[in-house]
Amino acid sequence: MKELIKFIKKTAVLTNAEIKQLENDYNEIKFLHEKIHSKTDEFLNLRRNDLDLFFKNLIATCDFFTNFIFDKKKLEFSGVYMICAYANNEFILGYIGESKNIYKRWIYHSKKINTKNSSSQRVHKQLNKLLRENKITTNDIYFIKIAEINNLRERIFHETELILKTKSIKLMANNKNILRLKLCPICDGVLNAKIDVIFKNNRLYNIYIIKCKNKQCMYEHIF
Ligand SMILES: [Zn+2]
């Protein structure tokens, strides 16, 4: 973002009001990025509030299951889901995932959580730690059905959007490398997803972007 600011200062001719607006935009975006990356309590709790709201909206509108009790009939679909640890009215940990068969995937997760089965997956490790330390019970682990999507590319795009929009280095268990598959609609190349900033019409905008890694390919999807 600093490079972008330098670029704007060099090239853009702005009125005082436009500069003021740009500073506001900058501070707002900086604030969001601090909430995502900071480990200090102040910013962490602000991000926790964002995720709390996100969780409550899901619970109000989607099917969800706790205590590892799943309704197979409702879950035999391909789609996007979220696992949340939510206890004592507080968002503790989240994870966004997608699968061709949600029921099978959730059974897999539940076998890796609250058992001595070892797992290298970050979400299992973190949930097991919370359970061991009695910070949560299995009743506080919510499996939420977010969307039914059959098409693989659409499903991964939806998952990626949600991973970027809920990003938090402390409160979300998703790994950094979220797009491993060759899903570019133009060249079938590998895509990259990130949070970025753009300068447009004299304003700064926070954007979420999925972009092709192949430099010859122009494909990008901004949301
Ligand atoms: Zn491409």
Side-chain angles (χ1 to χ4, degrees):
M1 191 148 71
K2 274 179 192 152
E3 288 304 308
L4 185 62
I5 297 294
K6 269 189 206 163
F7 168 80
I8 293 165
K9 279 182 178 163
K10 266 189 200 163
T11 58
V13 182
L14 300 173
T15 65
N16 282 344
E18 282 166 342
I19 289 169
K20 185 92 198 121
Q21 178 66 62
L22 208 59
E23 279 168 2
N24 286 344
D25 292 344
Y26 174 80
N27 287 333
E28 226 169 83
I29 293 166
K30 199 171 149 230
F31 177 57
L32 173 67
H33 288 219
E34 272 166 344
K35 282 197 292 181
I36 292 171
H37 296 287
S38 179
K39 291 175 187 171
T40 66
D41 283 349
E42 187 199 349
F43 284 110
L44 202 58
N45 283 333
L46 290 167
R47 192 56 173 162
R48 200 187 295 279
N49 293 344
D50 295 344
L51 292 169
D52 195 282
L53 208 64
F54 184 81
F55 170 80
K56 281 184 179 150
N57 277 331
L58 287 182
I59 291 299
T61 53
C62 305
D63 281 337
F64 66 89
F65 302 84
T66 63
N67 232 351
F68 303 150
I69 300 165
F70 307 125
D71 183 341
K72 193 176 178 190
K73 272 188 218 132
K74 280 188 177 173
L75 293 171
E76 288 202 310
F77 68 94
S78 308
V80 179
Y81 63 90
M82 185 170 193
I83 302 175
C84 284
Y86 192 90
N88 304 317
N89 224 11
E90 190 176 77
F91 184 97
I92 297 173
L93 187 73
Y95 173 81
I96 305 265
E98 63 79 29
S99 177
K100 194 170 192 297
N101 185 318
I102 295 285
Y103 179 73
K104 275 193 192 163
R105 177 65 59 86
W106 286 9
I107 293 293
Y108 165 76
H109 281 307
S110 61
K111 282 182 180 161
K112 293 287 183 183
I113 301 165
N114 206 23
T115 63
K116 289 195 170 73
N117 290 344
S118 65
S119 170
S120 58
Q121 220 178 319
R122 201 166 150 204
V123 60
H124 302 148
K125 279 187 187 166
Q126 292 189 341
L127 286 172
N128 281 330
K129 188 166 183 275
L130 290 166
L131 287 163
R132 262 198 322 273
E133 292 168 355
N134 294 319
K135 289 185 177 146
I136 56 166
T137 68
T138 54
N139 225 351
D140 303 317
I141 303 177
Y142 292 72
F143 285 75
I144 307 164
K145 170 184 164 176
I146 295 183
E148 289 191 31
I149 305 170
N150 280 322
N151 180 280
L152 174 68
R153 182 180 287 130
E154 279 176 33
R155 201 161 70 232
I156 300 235
F157 271 42
H158 193 70
E159 180 202 26
T160 304
E161 279 192 34
L162 292 177
I163 289 172
L164 290 181
K165 286 183 176 171
T166 58
K167 196 169 175 176
S168 163
I169 56 159
K170 287 287 269 186
L171 300 171
M172 293 295 293
N174 288 92
N175 291 328
K176 276 182 198 162
N177 189 9
I178 46 182
L179 279 167
R180 314 154 300 276
L181 298 172
K182 294 181 174 179
L183 287 172
C184 176
I186 295 175
C187 74
D188 274 327
V190 177
L191 296 173
N192 189 23
K194 63 174 185 169
I195 301 176
D196 210 343
V197 182
I198 55 163
F199 178 58
K200 198 178 171 187
N201 303 328
N202 293 336
R203 297 281 311 260
L204 282 176
Y205 298 92
N206 182 68
I207 56 160
Y208 304 96
I209 184 167
I210 295 176
K211 210 173 174 176
C212 188
K213 277 190 162 183
N214 171 5
K215 292 216 168 72
Q216 267 95 53
C217 177
M218 301 297 284
Y219 179 75
E220 60 178 30
H221 169 66
I222 295 172
F223 47 96

